[in-house]
Amino acid sequence: MRNEDVAAVFYEIADILELQGIAFKPQAYRRAASAIEQLDVEIASAVASGTHREIPGVGEAIAKKIEELVRTGSLDYLERLRAETPPGLLEIMSVPDIGPKTAMILVHDLGVSSLGELKEAALAGKVKKLKGFGERTEERILSGIKTLESKGRRAFLGEALPVARAYVEYLMGRIRLDLIDVCGSLRRGKETIGDMDILVGWDNAPAVTDAFTQYERVDEVIVSGATKTSVRLAGGFQADLRIVERSSYGAALQYFTGSKEHNVLIRKMGIEKGLKVNEYGVFERDSNRKLAGDTEDGVYEALGLPWIPPELREDAGEIDAALRGALPTLLEPSDVKGDLHVHSEWSDGADSIDDIVSAAAAKGHKFVAITDHTQSLSIANGLSPEKVLAQIEAVRKAEERSEGGVRAFAGSEVDILADGSLDLPPSVLRELDVVIASVHSRLKMEPKEMTARLVAAIESGEIDIVGHPTGRIIGRRDPASIDLEKVFESARENGVMMEINAFPDRLDLRDAHCRMAKDNGVMMTIGTDAHSLRHLDYLEFGIITARRGWLEKSDVLNTLDPAKVEKKLRGRRA
DNA sequence: GCCGTTTTCGGCCCGACTGTTTTCAGTCG
């Protein structure tokens, strides 16, 4: 069982307990689930060493359940909970505005047992006749079901960020705003986004609300009050606007950035210090005197903490680290000097090497690596050994022709074949400046086999980087079953690096795995996996992922000057 | 179910908005 699988079990338990009207336990299970998700070791090895009991939020009862999950792959307790849950309840609770109480009434008093039946009942006007229900509630339920049907998956960070930035730009064009930020999971850089939160500090709330709801991409205004408005954008994406007085802006920014779990800890710290923390500021409980609120820095300072970067605010040990003065100095976008994974028209990319080098120069890169696919990936027009050698010459010439002073590395994204061997002979690999090795086939191997396959590639001594190490595609393909700690150990011993693939639907390694790699002493690289020039912009998402993985400048190869990058890469042949 | 410079028992973050209400519960973030 992977950490995500164990977390999913506890999230489901929390949902069912909540449905049963049980208080506090759901939070306890959610806290444990979230901690396990963020864990920087494999849960199985934590159990093996007995350290799973030390995970925050994991006590005696949950520890036992983790052991059972790791040992048997399933959990009796969850099976029992499922069995006693009326069918359709969880599904019905997933409708916006239907929580545990409402869902229970619908199932019991109306006798519906699926979303479809609920919709039918609402359309037939049966819902509004229930005690405590009315016309508006029935409409809301129908609209909620419609939302659910049209919404589909969460958006990738790479999709949502440009939409949010366009919205902010529009608002700033309508009204002169100096205090406006995107907050929520977007500001924290989560890999997928449920909805976007925009915060505005201004004294004329109605004008901002009007501008917000009049945006051309707004399909529907869901709620609109004095300080809070929610709309649905074309395509089903929800956007929330909060307006606060300027003097509360920092507190609101902190509050609406979240995560919820991080904020709960912040407020508990406040309580211990006799303070009340809300979106308006930090107040003394007794006198209600305001201690902070206009800046986010000030809020943390009032609690005796340094400012914590949004990407770390996940209740993953950041508050502890802050108290100890041990927060990492995170990688900054300006630290990153180039892109280490780009495809050209030689394989399945859209652009010429010349155009890629020029585009990299225009973006201010100091280097770019051309890394096309190899022969066995015929679907992507993979290159034969002869073509690889020819391409090396082509890259050298493109670099000479270029005017931006960009160093162009001749590389390859060589396939790791099923037996762990590489898709190009050593004689060719040794001519290359950079060798990324990736798995593109037979992704569903058994964990032992897949781990051995990656370790064999790492131990070959012919590669620099493992590309998109888990092979996951967010929302579509699960990560391969791999013992990542074994892979990282082998990588450290052999001086091989792990890629953060910045493509929006990959982000692989993901945040928690970056942290795991770092803890295992492995160096990381960032590559866009660009297949066209506009994909070169994806570098940002790799940087955000690195930050969420607690990575510092010194953990990432891309922060070095070209000469030093080259020296490090040449190291594999020494 | 977890947790402890106030606690090993008794707490557990905080406020906006809505709808169906005569004063508040449910939901959300």
Side-chain angles (χ1 to χ4, degrees), chain A residues 205-254:
Chain A
V208 183
T209 303
D210 284 348
F212 188 74
T213 55
Q214 285 160 11
Y215 186 37
E216 60 177 6
R217 296 193 58 185
V218 169
D219 254 6
E220 181 197 352
V221 178
I222 303 168
V223 296
S224 189
T227 64
K228 183 179 164 180
T229 297
S230 293
V231 298
R232 178 133 24 252
L233 299 179
F237 211 53
Q238 182 174 325
D240 298 332
L241 169 74
R242 283 295 297 245
I243 306 162
V244 297
E245 283 179 20
R246 306 176 66 92
S247 61
S248 293
Y249 191 75
L253 185 58
Q254 193 286 324

Side-chain angles (χ1 to χ4, degrees), chain A residues 123-409:
Chain A
L123 286 171
K126 290 179 184 167
V127 170
K128 65 179 172 222
K129 289 182 187 148
L130 292 170
K131 187 172 158 55
F133 288 62
E135 189 88 32
R136 306 295 299 273
T137 304
E138 188 168 89
E139 279 169 21
R140 276 176 88 82
I141 287 176
L142 279 171
S143 141
I145 293 173
K146 205 174 134 202
T147 303
L148 203 61
E149 285 169 347
S150 70
K151 191 156 110 185
R153 61 174 175 81
R154 290 165 64 88
F156 303 129
L157 174 68
E159 298 170 316
L161 209 47
V163 174
R165 284 176 180 157
Y167 211 155
V168 167
E169 200 171 311
Y170 153 82
L171 287 171
M172 292 177 77
R174 284 280 306 260
I175 306 170
R176 268 189 50 214
L177 298 168
D178 58 329
L179 294 180
I180 178 166
D181 278 283
V182 175
C183 4
S185 51
L186 264 170
R187 182 160 180 245
R188 302 201 311 281
K190 276 201 77 168
E191 61 191 32
T192 63
I193 306 297
D195 52 32
M196 66 173 84
D197 303 290
I198 296 175
L199 176 69
V200 169
W202 211 42
D203 306 319
N204 184 356
V208 183
T209 303
D210 284 348
F212 188 74
T213 55
Q214 285 160 11
Y215 186 37
E216 60 177 6
R217 296 193 58 185
V218 169
D219 254 6
E220 181 197 352
V221 178
I222 303 168
V223 296
S224 189
T227 64
K228 183 179 164 180
T229 297
S230 293
V231 298
R232 178 133 24 252
L233 299 179
F237 211 53
Q238 182 174 325
D240 298 332
L241 169 74
R242 283 295 297 245
I243 306 162
V244 297
E245 283 179 20
R246 306 176 66 92
S247 61
S248 293
Y249 191 75
L253 185 58
Q254 193 286 324
Y255 180 85
F256 291 114
T257 296
S259 66
K260 202 171 164 181
E261 292 76 14
H262 174 87
N263 285 353
V264 167
L265 293 183
I266 288 292
R267 293 211 199 93
K268 280 184 180 164
M269 276 192 74
I271 291 170
E272 281 163 22
K273 292 176 184 293
L275 306 172
K276 183 173 72 172
V277 183
N278 58 27
E279 60 260 57
Y280 303 109
V282 181
F283 303 87
E284 280 181 347
R285 279 204 173 254
D286 301 336
S287 64
N288 221 27
R289 193 164 67 91
K290 186 167 172 179
L291 303 180
D294 57 336
T295 67
E296 200 178 42
D297 265 41
V299 171
Y300 282 101
E301 195 188 337
L303 293 163
L305 292 169
W307 181 81
I308 299 175
E311 293 92 335
L312 301 186
R313 301 181 195 171
E314 300 287 351
D315 182 17
E318 72 278 7
I319 291 178
D320 243 19
L323 284 170
R324 293 198 320 270
L327 282 174
T329 305
L330 295 182
L331 175 74
E332 293 291 335
S334 58
D335 294 332
V336 175
K337 296 180 175 170
D339 190 338
L340 285 167
H341 188 159
V342 178
H343 294 273
S344 76
E345 62 186 2
W346 282 62
S347 67
D348 60 348
D351 303 287
S352 68
I353 295 171
D354 282 306
D355 286 347
I356 293 168
V357 173
S358 311
K363 292 183 68 63
H365 287 354
K366 289 201 163 68
F367 58 83
V368 61
I370 307 297
T371 53
D372 275 309
H373 292 291
T374 55
Q375 52 194 350
S376 76
L377 206 63
S378 48
I379 193 174
N381 196 25
L383 306 184
S384 66
E386 295 70 34
K387 281 198 174 157
V388 170
L389 292 173
Q391 193 192 29
I392 294 173
E393 290 314 305
V395 171
R396 303 278 180 254
K397 283 183 180 145
E399 184 186 68
E400 277 171 29
R401 277 195 296 272
S402 78
E403 290 173 356
V406 171
R407 179 81 174 82
F409 293 127

Side-chain angles (χ1 to χ4, degrees), chain A residues 3-25:
Chain A
N3 297 10
E4 298 97 299
D5 303 324
V6 175
V9 166
F10 291 138
Y11 280 127
E12 188 176 346
I13 291 174
D15 286 344
I16 297 178
L17 292 176
E18 189 159 74
L19 206 43
Q20 298 182 342
I22 294 170
F24 305 117
K25 283 195 194 186

